[in-house]
């Protein structure tokens, strides 16, 4: 893939369970071009084929049958993809207890990912919080000079 020219948009790989995809699409589509994936194998294929074309990975807690941590470790353990910012996002309230969500957020941060728990915010604030987290991740992208 070619590099970004002035005025081109960032690309976000969105690794989400199908129910969370419409929520994230609604919150993110104004910020960047989105590349949705619903399984770890599919996500890794996209990253292997176009690693320089992805500026951020957003992964939901329950991505691909609760394989978020496996996916995070694969990304961070691969020299080609390890510098891509990774944001773990709780999008929907489900069967995970709040205590487990907090622990998973701490674990994500331990493995060099950011974490955001969107259900903690009212709907109008969730968009602002996610936008701020995405902007922070774009700024931290170690693969390209900051503009």
């Amino acid at each position: 893939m070619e590099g970004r020219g002035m005025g081109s948009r960032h690309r976000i790989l969105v690794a989400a369970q199908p129910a969370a995809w419409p929520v994230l699409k609604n919150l993110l589509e104004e910020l960047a071009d989105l590349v949705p994936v619903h399984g770890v194998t599919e996500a890794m294929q996209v990253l292997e084929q176009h690693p320089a074309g992805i500026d951020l990975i957003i992964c939901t807690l329950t991505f691909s049958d609760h394989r978020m941590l496996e996916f995070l470790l694969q990304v961070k353990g691969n020299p080609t993809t390890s510098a891509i910012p990774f944001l773990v996002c709780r999008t929907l309230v489900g069967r995970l207890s709040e205590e487990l969500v907090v622990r998973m957020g701490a674990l994500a941060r331990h493995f060099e990912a950011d974490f955001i728990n969107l259900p903690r915010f009212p709907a109008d604030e969730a968009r602002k919080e996610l936008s701020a987290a995405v902007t922070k991740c774009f700024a931290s992208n170690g693969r390209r000079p900051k503009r």
Side-chain angles (χ1 to χ4, degrees), residues 102-127:
V102 168
R103 288 181 182 203
M104 290 178 77
L107 197 56
R109 285 188 286 274
H110 176 76
F111 290 109
E112 301 177 8
D114 287 317
F115 176 74
I116 187 167
N117 186 356
L118 288 179
R120 288 188 48 227
F121 305 102
D124 57 328
E125 285 183 39
R127 181 179 306 274

Side-chain angles (χ1 to χ4, degrees), residues 27-101:
L27 294 172
L28 294 167
E29 64 189 347
E30 292 179 11
L31 298 175
D33 293 332
L34 307 177
V35 180
V37 293
H38 301 298
V40 173
T41 301
E42 179 187 12
M44 290 309 295
Q45 285 174 344
V46 169
L47 290 171
E48 287 167 10
Q49 292 170 3
H50 308 289
I54 301 297
D55 299 301
L56 169 62
I57 298 166
I58 295 180
C59 184
T60 58
L61 277 181
T62 56
F63 170 61
S64 191
D65 295 325
H66 300 275
R67 293 173 63 196
M68 173 278 297
L69 186 57
E70 175 187 333
F71 178 49
L72 172 60
L73 293 174
Q74 282 185 26
V75 168
K76 293 302 179 182
N78 181 331
T80 306
T81 59
S82 64
I84 301 172
F86 199 111
L87 175 63
V88 175
C89 181
R90 181 185 190 199
T91 308
L92 305 171
V93 175
R95 295 183 297 195
L96 300 179
S97 70
E98 290 303 312
E99 179 182 349
L100 183 56
V101 169

